[in-house]
Amino acid sequence: MSYHLSLTGANGVSDIYIETGLLGRAASLCGEAFTPSRVHIVTDSTVAPLYLEALASQFSLPVSHTVIPAGEEHKRLATVETIYHDLLAAGMTRGDLIIALGGGVTGDITGFAAATFLRGVPLCQIPTTLLAQVDSSVGGKTGVDLPEGKNLAGAFYQPRLVLIDPAVLQTLPEKTLADGMAEVVKYGYIANPAILEMAAQPDYQNQIEALIYECVKIKRDVVAIDEHDTGLRMILNFGHTIGHAAEKLGHYVDLTHGQAVAIGMVAAMRLSAAMGNEDLSAPLIRLLTQLGLPSELRYDREAVYGALLSDKKKFGGTVNFILVREPGRAEITPIAAETLHDYILKL
């Protein structure tokens, strides 16, 4: 099965392809979408031995590359500067092509580098983790972490091409696959409960293409309405407010992003119940446990509150929380910081 979606953004149209085996003809698809004189691939130390040569060898153009260290702890401005230097050494121009080959961290860093190098170089995303395939490679959010918080430096910069090949997921450890399923569950709760039913099947991996498509379709539709995250797009942050705080408190090494989102979704459900809504946390916890994901917030609540106040979702004296009233229906709920403090202490 193959899928094709298009997303129109501020810097043009993104074409998104989902198909098993797509990596093997990536250069051909890039040739249809771009007219570069050279290509620069950014990947990480985990993905490079698996796929870098297989991708680079497809091009008849000069190809250079940067291999960055794997891990969220390297999602820093210093890493972006390394990419800049490699781009300059390779003689890259604004008419050339940058390819992000890797998971969410690689995609975010490379997207930010592409958006800012020479004020913008065409970008192709080739995500190699489930988390990146269903979420971070689509929609144009790029960025890096600062000591004060996650993704605090970044840009909205749409890739012109996203190539999603589910076959590459076969090389992922079970833990990394589960990491991506946290974002899949998120999409089920905010927009399409059928995704939850698919994710709950013991053989969900047999329908992974369809799961990826359903998630990407939701993100495409949301981003088409609100590219710059000022309204509807905020629903994509379900589980991320407290999740990002937990990542920060764990110094970006104790928890993976998916694990943090899983914990954050449960915390958001409990916070919603504390505000008088139906408590939906039990079925969510059951599904997360089945998928091998954590559900309990194990950090000091005062520390959690302090960490989330530096999040981008804070506007003045309020924090925008995404609350799920029923599976498939999410709402953006501004909560006053003082009120939120009381709720967080009770989680």
Side-chain angles (χ1 to χ4, degrees):
M1 184 73 71
S2 63
Y3 302 93
H4 174 224
L5 303 98
S6 294
L7 169 62
T8 301
N11 56 306
V13 177
S14 291
D15 281 306
I16 306 160
Y17 294 93
I18 306 167
E19 181 184 331
T20 297
L22 206 57
L23 182 63
R25 55 190 189 93
S28 175
L29 290 165
C30 287
E32 295 173 10
F34 307 98
T35 55
S37 58
R38 59 176 55 247
V39 174
H40 190 86
I41 302 168
V42 180
T43 189
D44 71 21
S45 53
T46 299
V47 175
L50 296 171
Y51 302 118
L52 177 57
E53 179 57 30
L55 175 60
S57 63
Q58 296 178 35
F59 291 92
S60 57
L61 305 170
V63 178
S64 51
H65 65 264
T66 300
V67 178
I68 62 177
E72 181 81 29
E73 65 271 28
H74 300 292
K75 191 176 166 183
R76 296 285 187 265
L77 286 168
T79 307
V80 177
E81 186 174 357
T82 297
I83 296 171
Y84 289 155
H85 290 311
D86 288 351
L87 292 170
L88 288 168
M92 293 286 287
T93 71
R94 292 177 70 180
D96 293 324
L97 172 62
I98 296 174
I99 297 176
L101 175 68
V105 171
T106 298
D108 283 0
I109 293 173
T110 307
F112 184 56
T116 51
F117 182 73
L118 303 179
R119 298 190 177 93
V121 177
L123 172 66
C124 170
Q125 290 272 8
I126 304 181
T128 60
T129 64
L130 181 59
L131 189 150
Q133 291 186 352
V134 300
D135 191 70
S136 60
S137 66
V138 176
K141 273 190 178 180
T142 74
V144 295
D145 304 335
L146 300 179
E148 292 82 359
K150 190 175 171 72
N151 295 326
L152 293 180
F156 291 96
Y157 191 70
Q158 296 290 351
R160 294 236 308 263
L161 186 64
V162 182
L163 303 179
I164 298 174
D165 183 353
V168 304
L169 302 179
Q170 295 173 9
T171 60
L172 293 181
E174 285 295 323
K175 179 180 176 181
T176 307
L177 192 66
D179 207 42
M181 288 303 292
E183 292 284 0
V184 172
V185 170
K186 176 195 78 175
Y187 281 107
Y189 271 101
I190 66 171
N192 183 359
I195 291 174
L196 301 176
E197 297 176 15
M198 295 169 69
Q201 300 304 312
D203 62 346
Y204 76 84
Q205 293 184 42
N206 292 337
Q207 48 187 340
I208 201 72
E209 267 189 13
L211 270 173
I212 293 168
Y213 170 72
E214 293 298 333
C215 294
V216 171
K217 184 170 63 171
I218 293 167
K219 185 157 193 183
R220 186 276 310 270
D221 292 345
V222 169
V223 173
I225 295 169
D226 176 26
E227 182 177 3
H228 292 123
D229 204 15
T230 58
L232 179 65
R233 186 169 181 168
M234 292 183 192
I235 68 169
L236 301 175
N237 293 325
F238 175 53
H240 286 60
T241 306
I242 291 177
H244 282 175
E247 281 188 275
K248 178 182 177 182
L249 292 172
H251 307 289
Y252 303 106
V253 293
D254 290 351
L255 294 169
T256 64
H257 179 66
Q259 289 171 338
V261 168
I263 291 167
M265 287 190 291
V266 174
M269 289 296 201
R270 288 174 170 161
L271 186 148
S272 180
M275 295 176 67
N277 300 306
E278 181 182 358
D279 189 349
L280 302 176
S281 59
L284 171 59
I285 292 170
R286 283 197 297 272
L287 179 55
L288 294 175
T289 301
Q290 179 180 326
L291 293 169
L293 288 162
S295 58
E296 294 303 316
L297 183 64
R298 302 191 183 279
Y299 296 101
D300 175 79
R301 301 312 193 250
E302 282 287 0
V304 170
Y305 176 72
L308 68 81
L309 288 184
S310 67
D311 196 271
K312 305 178 299 303
K313 300 163 199 67
K314 183 172 182 288
F315 292 86
T318 65
V319 176
N320 284 322
F321 253 86
I322 310 307
L323 303 183
V324 171
R325 308 295 188 186
E326 60 183 358
R329 183 166 72 93
E331 296 178 3
I332 303 164
T333 305
I335 303 176
E338 287 187 10
T339 304
L340 179 61
H341 180 256
D342 294 337
Y343 286 133
I344 295 293
L345 293 184
K346 296 173 183 177
L347 285 177

